[in-house]
Amino acid sequence: MRGMDAPIFNTIIEPFRIHSVEPLRMTTPEQRKTAIATAGYNLFKVNAQDVLIDLLTDSGTGAMSRDQWAAIQHGDESYAGSPSFFIFRDAVRELFPFDHVLPTHQGRAAEKIIFSVLGGAGKVIPNNTHFDTTRANVEASGATAVDLVIAEGRDPQAVHPFKGNMDIEALESLLRERADDVPVVFITITNNSGGGQPVSLANLHAVRDVCDKYGKMLFLDACRFAENAWFIHEREAGHGDRDVADIVREIASLADGMTMSAKKDPMGNIGGWLAMNDDDLARDCRNVLILTEGFPTYGGLAGRDLEALAQGLKEVVSHDYLRYRIRSTGYLGDALVKAGVPVLTPIGGHAVYLDARALLPHIPPLEYPGEALAVALYEAGGVRSVEIGTVMFGRQPDGSEVPAALDLVRLAIPRRTYTQSHIDYVIEVCQHVARHAADLRGYRIVDEPPALRHFTATFEPLG
Ligand code: F0G
């Protein structure tokens, strides 16, 4: 190589090779039409065996590494004081140095605990955008959940590097009017329900300043913290030379606590935690934890799960991993943009969001264009996605129904699970469905539960 320039290659490869494989089951369009009809046109009710490429969620579905599986063998299942807990706690604190770390079986368990302590009738909990379980847990406590994302964050086509940012003026005006009713301010990184969009460090500092002015706690819903930190590294001036772990620690230093689903960036199949600095709040939360999850050194988890998460937390802040991760999501999104399929831009971290309302203007929001698109992707190619729109968010606490802000279909990418050829296939399926968009019809809901209806509702095609 002497005399040759250092070569520059543009292909960003998977920074791993495959160590064990899981077979996929092929199905025909006819088999899939039967499967989805049997499931009442609800993709949550389709058996995973009948799905070819499962982009329903990036939650708990990623591939664990060799070293995570090895860590599982170290799991100590002592009821109290297991060494696995201290390994887990220290790995969390390496990035999020909060005084109290309470393991939970997943993110929503942490939400349930914090809002049962801080929520209640008459309270208001602001967030950039509440995730569905977060909103549901706020509302189940009797409190009101409000979304205060910046205006660009509600416009699928607006170009902004940090579309997950909180609208600082809106937050300030809420606190000016109702400070006594707001027990805590939340911010979700990345902003999942708003398209997996990141929040800038500058915005987090500004939110902190407003919280300080009104003496309020700031909590992170930090499921995709490493992806958010990578966007800061890539897009925010002055942070390009920093270690991502260091950016994460700065984010943590701005908050008083966090809820976490460890099924996302910590690369676990299961897990979560609740962390905070306030001793009295921690005592109250621990009491609920013991009631609902388990003893404080295991929460809702086995010792082996705690070990796998500790190892996952070390792996997720690798720059090689994050560069590959964000680029591979972008690869899918860029190909769809190029093919003229309407998607939410810029492309987020963990998922590509198809704009069903734009693709299917002939289907009104109350006939669920996102549902129509998600079913079509499944029938055509066996690709499972999830509607994030009027089905998920349209039902109001008073029983009325209104169109959601957006009607999106999310293609979530499990971590380290699918290869580029799987994604090339997904691109083809999306293009095929987009070409036949005019033929798609809306749906009506046949029956639905009172809350979180998207998980169990059944549908019927219209016309
Ligand atoms: N907060 C956010 C931002 C989430 O994305 C999720 C889960 C949760 C909280 C709840 O965590 O599932 O461990 O109880 N999101 C998954 C998804 C389910 O598909 O986006 P959990």
Side-chain angles (χ1 to χ4, degrees):
M1 297 288 277
R2 208 178 321 137
M4 222 187 261
D5 289 341
I8 296 173
F9 300 118
N10 293 316
T11 308
I12 295 175
I13 63 166
E14 288 85 357
F16 50 80
R17 56 185 183 184
I18 292 165
H19 170 263
S20 87
V21 296
E22 266 182 280
L24 291 178
R25 185 168 155 266
M26 301 293 170
T27 48
T28 62
E30 288 65 39
Q31 287 171 323
R32 295 193 289 265
K33 280 186 178 141
T34 307
I36 188 74
T38 309
Y41 296 93
N42 186 333
L43 283 157
F44 283 100
K45 294 185 172 181
V46 172
N47 291 339
Q49 285 268 300
D50 296 327
V51 175
L52 185 58
I53 307 285
D54 205 345
L55 307 184
L56 181 69
T57 179
D58 62 321
S59 184
T61 52
M64 286 211 290
S65 67
R66 173 193 63 189
D67 293 342
Q68 284 182 287
W69 286 111
I72 277 180
Q73 295 298 323
H74 289 270
D76 178 304
E77 306 304 340
S78 304
Y79 188 93
S82 160
S84 299
F85 169 72
F86 298 105
I87 288 170
F88 161 79
R89 186 201 61 185
D90 292 349
V92 171
R93 280 204 194 147
E94 178 69 22
L95 295 168
F96 300 97
F98 294 117
D99 291 342
H100 306 279
V101 179
L102 284 58
T104 61
H105 78 277
Q106 60 185 90
R108 67 198 69 183
E111 294 164 0
K112 170 80 184 158
I113 293 169
I114 193 75
F115 296 124
S116 66
V117 173
L118 293 178
K123 301 279 173 59
V124 183
I125 317 281
N127 203 327
N128 44 354
T129 311
H130 289 273
F131 182 65
D132 60 355
T133 61
T134 323
R135 171 171 286 276
N137 273 302
V138 168
E139 289 171 355
S141 82
T144 306
V146 296
D147 294 338
L148 302 178
V149 72
I150 55 169
E152 289 90 335
R154 288 187 297 267
D155 173 356
Q157 305 309 326
V159 177
H160 188 290
F162 293 100
K163 277 173 96 163
N165 281 356
M166 182 85 94
D167 182 335
I168 300 297
E169 268 174 38
L171 177 64
E172 172 118 40
S173 107
L174 173 72
L175 287 168
R176 208 180 302 121
E177 283 160 29
R178 302 195 56 181
D180 290 347
D181 299 330
V182 178
V184 60
V185 173
F186 260 77
I187 191 151
T188 305
I189 57 171
T190 57
N191 190 28
N192 184 10
S193 300
Q197 301 290 322
V199 177
S200 72
L201 210 41
N203 188 254
L204 287 159
H205 276 276
V207 172
R208 174 75 262 171
D209 289 346
V210 175
C211 289
D212 283 344
K213 184 167 164 192
Y214 291 90
K216 296 297 162 191
M217 288 192 294
L218 173 61
F219 266 56
L220 306 167
D221 176 348
C223 308
R224 300 176 181 87
F225 68 92
E227 293 171 4
N228 199 100
W230 182 256
F231 280 117
I232 290 171
H233 179 273
E234 295 295 285
R235 294 183 183 170
E236 197 164 353
H239 302 292
D241 292 329
R242 292 180 70 184
D243 185 14
V244 161
D246 186 43
I247 296 174
V248 174
R249 281 187 284 269
E250 183 174 339
I251 294 171
S253 76
L254 298 170
D256 300 290
M258 68 191 297
T259 55
M260 186 71 191
S261 169
K263 302 171 74 172
K264 282 81 171 180
D265 274 351
M267 311 264 207
N269 295 138
I270 195 71
W273 69 83
L274 174 62
M276 67 211 57
N277 286 328
D278 188 277
D279 296 337
D280 294 337
L281 179 61
R283 187 201 50 226
D284 292 348
C285 289
R286 224 174 249 124
N287 290 338
V288 182
L289 181 84
I290 293 173
L291 209 62
T292 58
E293 290 284 288
F295 190 73
T297 59
Y298 70 85
L301 295 170
R304 57 179 172 271
D305 300 325
L306 296 168
E307 296 266 357
L309 295 177
Q311 177 59 28
L313 281 170
K314 293 189 178 76
E315 294 175 13
V316 75
V317 289
S318 149
H319 288 207
D320 285 342
Y321 163 73
L322 285 168
R323 185 177 296 109
Y324 141 77
R325 167 71 175 161
I326 299 302
R327 181 60 214 131
S328 54
T329 306
Y331 175 84
L332 170 59
D334 292 349
L336 295 177
V337 170
K338 209 167 145 208
V341 179
V343 298
L344 191 146
T345 53
I347 306 304
H350 67 295
V352 174
Y353 294 69
L354 307 176
D355 186 344
R357 204 176 280 174
L359 183 67
L360 306 171
H362 58 288
I363 303 181
L366 294 181
E367 293 179 11
Y368 316 124
E371 158 76 8
L373 179 55
V375 169
L377 292 171
Y378 174 72
E379 288 181 342
V383 175
R384 176 153 68 172
S385 56
V386 67
E387 192 261 14
I388 299 200
T390 302
V391 175
M392 192 179 273
F393 293 117
R395 174 69 67 211
Q396 303 304 297
D398 68 5
S400 64
E401 189 178 30
V402 297
L406 303 171
D407 276 297
L408 303 175
V409 168
R410 185 184 72 173
L411 305 171
I413 319 290
R415 291 169 183 75
R416 308 186 291 204
T417 302
Y418 292 115
T419 65
Q420 190 168 326
S421 60
H422 291 121
I423 298 300
D424 286 336
Y425 171 82
V426 171
I427 293 165
E428 272 195 76
V429 173
C430 291
Q431 285 178 298
H432 171 86
V433 170
R435 272 196 302 274
H436 296 89
D439 302 336
L440 302 191
R441 294 289 168 265
Y443 282 78
R444 72 173 200 91
I445 291 182
V446 179
D447 82 30
E448 61 180 291
L452 293 174
R453 65 177 178 174
H454 50 291
F455 290 124
T456 54
T458 54
F459 300 83
E460 201 172 73
L462 291 168

